[in-house]
Amino acid sequence: MEKQNFAQADWPQKMQYLNDYDNFARLYGMRLVEYSLGYACLEMPMRPDFLNSQLRLHGSWQAALIMICAGKAARSQGREVRPCKLNMNYHHGVREGLLRVIARQKFASDNWLTCDVEIHCQGDHSVNGDHAVSQQAAADILVASGRVDFLLLDYELEFPAEPNPKFFPAERRIARPRPVYPESRAGLYDDVPGLRPCFKQADWPTKMAYMNENENMYYSEDLRMTEYGPGYGRAELDIWPQHVDAWGLLDPAWLVIVLDPLIGKPSLHTGNFCVTAQSSITFFEPRAALGGRLHGQAEKVSQEGHFAVYAGSVYDEQGRELACGVCTMYLRDTEINFRRELPLNL
C-alpha cells in the first residue's frame, strides 16, 4: 500500500486509520467514534483493569484519554503534531459505565494548536454521591476536563506504507498473572500471626511491595516502583510493542500514564489515601524507541494541611528528560487498607 495523504482521505478513512494504527484503540478498547475538522470523540467501556486500588477510574487513564482524544482532534487538519503541555482537573470518581471523551479545537495558528477535552461517564456509576445507589441516577457525569497544547509540525500526516507493522502485537501483553489472595482478610490492626503489618506500620520495602501489588498497571504493563521513601519514589516501565505507534516510537500518552501514579505514590507515604485535584504536564522530548526503558522519579514540593504539591519527571535510558509534571493532591483521612496477605503461589 502506497503512502496516502491523510488530509485528502475522507473522514471514514481517517477514522478507520486512527483506530487501526493506534494500539490504544486496537488493544485497550478506546475507539474513535466521531471525527471531523477540529473535533474528535472517543468511547471506552470501563473494565476492572482501568481502576485504582480504591476501585475508581485510575487518574493515569483519565490523563491518557485526554491526551489521545486531543491528539486526534489536533491531527484532523492533516499535519503531524507534537504535544507540549497538558493541564487537567479531576472532577468525579467513577467505577463503571461507558466513558465518552470529547475534544474540540480551541485555537489554531500556523504553528500552534490548542484543544479542550472533557471526559463524561454515562450510567449509574458514581462513587462520589448518593445517587450511585438511587433510582434517579445522573445520566451523564463529568469525570475530568483538560486542555492540551500542540506544536504543529512542518510535514503532513501520512498513512504508514506497511498495512500492519510487524512489531504490532496481535494481543495485548500482560506482565504477570494477578496474585490469588485468600477470601478472608484481616482488619487493619487485627493481631493475626504470619500477616504483614498494615501499610502505615510497615517498613519502606514492605510499603513499596504493597504499592506494586495494588497497582493495576503493575500486573498489566509492568510499571513498577523501584525505590520508595518518605515523600519520594522511583519507577520504571519497559517499552513494549503495545506502547508504541506505527513507527515504533513511544506514544506520548504513556508518559502521562507513567507520571500520574509515579507522582501519586509518594503522596501516600503517610499511610492515608489521596485524590489528585489538578495536574500539569510539560513534554520536552516525547519520543522513545521500542525496546527501551523509561525511568521516573517524584518527590514532595510542599504541603499545607490536606493539600500537597508533588512533582516528577520521566527519563529515557540516556538520561534525557522526556516530560515533567506537577500535581496538587488532596490528602484524605482514610487510612490505606491494602491487603495484608501475601499472594499464594499456586
Side-chain angles (χ1 to χ4, degrees):
M1 171 174 157
E2 294 184 1
K3 287 189 176 181
Q4 184 176 356
N5 187 301
F6 180 88
Q8 293 176 348
D10 60 29
W11 292 107
Q13 288 176 319
K14 292 175 181 176
M15 193 159 63
Q16 180 180 356
Y17 159 73
L18 290 173
N19 282 326
D20 290 346
Y21 290 96
D22 181 357
N23 275 328
F24 285 104
R26 294 173 57 252
L27 304 174
Y28 297 85
M30 304 176 187
R31 304 292 298 181
L32 182 63
V33 296
E34 296 177 19
Y35 202 40
S36 61
L37 186 63
Y39 174 85
C41 177
L42 287 175
E43 287 186 352
M44 185 189 79
M46 268 191 286
R47 302 196 303 254
D49 53 336
F50 290 111
L51 306 180
N52 61 22
S53 58
Q54 302 171 70
L55 299 180
R56 291 167 169 81
L57 177 63
H58 202 296
S60 63
W61 287 114
Q62 296 179 40
L65 284 165
I66 287 177
M67 277 289 299
I68 295 164
C69 198
K72 296 187 188 311
R75 290 177 174 88
S76 66
Q77 295 196 14
R79 291 172 62 182
E80 185 55 271
V81 299
R82 177 174 174 175
C84 296
K85 188 82 172 181
L86 163 67
N87 289 293
M88 65 175 294
N89 294 290
Y90 301 80
H91 302 297
H92 215 98
V94 292
R95 62 164 56 99
E96 61 184 29
L98 178 68
L99 296 174
R100 187 172 173 87
V101 191
I102 299 171
R104 294 182 175 90
Q105 181 179 304
K106 177 73 174 180
F107 168 82
S109 65
D110 290 340
N111 56 10
W112 194 260
L113 189 146
T114 299
C115 290
D116 286 343
V117 190
E118 291 184 348
I119 301 177
H120 295 259
C121 193
Q122 299 172 351
D124 187 7
H125 43 252
S126 172
V127 294
N128 291 49
D130 294 337
H131 64 269
V133 292
S134 71
Q135 295 295 321
Q136 302 186 1
D140 185 287
I141 287 179
L142 179 62
V143 178
S145 60
R147 174 170 290 182
V148 188
D149 296 323
F150 296 93
L151 178 65
L152 283 167
L153 303 181
D154 291 333
Y155 56 92
E156 293 182 343
L157 191 63
E158 296 176 329
F159 295 122
E162 193 175 358
N164 187 12
K166 294 178 180 178
F167 53 81
F168 260 25
E171 297 180 353
R172 176 183 168 195
R173 176 180 173 184
I174 303 298
R176 57 181 64 82
R178 295 180 182 275
V180 179
Y181 292 97
E183 292 184 4
S184 61
R185 63 177 289 181
L188 285 178
Y189 301 105
D190 290 349
D191 185 14
V192 180
L195 291 189
R196 294 172 295 181
C198 61
F199 181 88
K200 183 172 285 190
Q201 296 175 340
D203 58 23
W204 292 109
T206 305
K207 282 186 168 75
M208 187 170 72
Y210 274 127
M211 291 293 185
N212 284 330
E213 290 171 13
N214 289 274
E215 173 60 72
N216 265 327
M217 281 171 289
Y218 170 80
Y219 302 112
S220 59
E221 311 299 333
D222 204 22
L223 174 61
R224 55 202 178 272
M225 298 295 297
T226 58
E227 293 184 30
Y228 197 57
Y232 78 91
R234 295 178 183 271
E236 292 180 350
L237 176 73
D238 294 326
I239 302 175
W240 291 348
Q242 64 202 44
H243 302 148
V244 300
D245 60 20
W247 286 268
L249 296 174
L250 178 74
D251 192 306
W254 281 103
L255 293 175
V256 301
I257 290 175
V258 172
L259 271 169
D260 185 276
L262 170 64
I263 294 174
K265 293 293 181 285
S267 64
L268 301 176
H269 79 275
T270 59
N272 287 6
F273 282 122
C274 67
V275 177
T276 308
Q278 189 274 340
S279 66
S280 177
I281 295 175
T282 301
F283 301 90
F284 302 120
E285 176 50 65
R287 290 299 193 183
L290 174 63
R293 176 175 293 178
L294 302 179
H295 302 267
Q297 61 184 36
E299 60 185 357
K300 182 169 72 174
V301 176
S302 64
Q303 180 176 343
E304 184 66 33
H306 280 280
F307 287 92
V309 176
Y310 282 78
S313 295
V314 177
Y315 304 85
D316 64 11
E317 291 181 299
Q318 288 71 46
R320 292 183 303 170
E321 188 173 12
L322 306 181
C324 69
V326 178
C327 290
T328 300
M329 315 294 297
Y330 177 75
L331 310 179
R332 299 168 59 193
D333 294 323
T334 308
E335 185 170 343
I336 294 173
N337 60 346
F338 292 155
R339 288 182 181 271
R340 296 174 58 200
E341 301 92 339
L342 285 171
L344 298 178
N345 296 318
L346 298 181

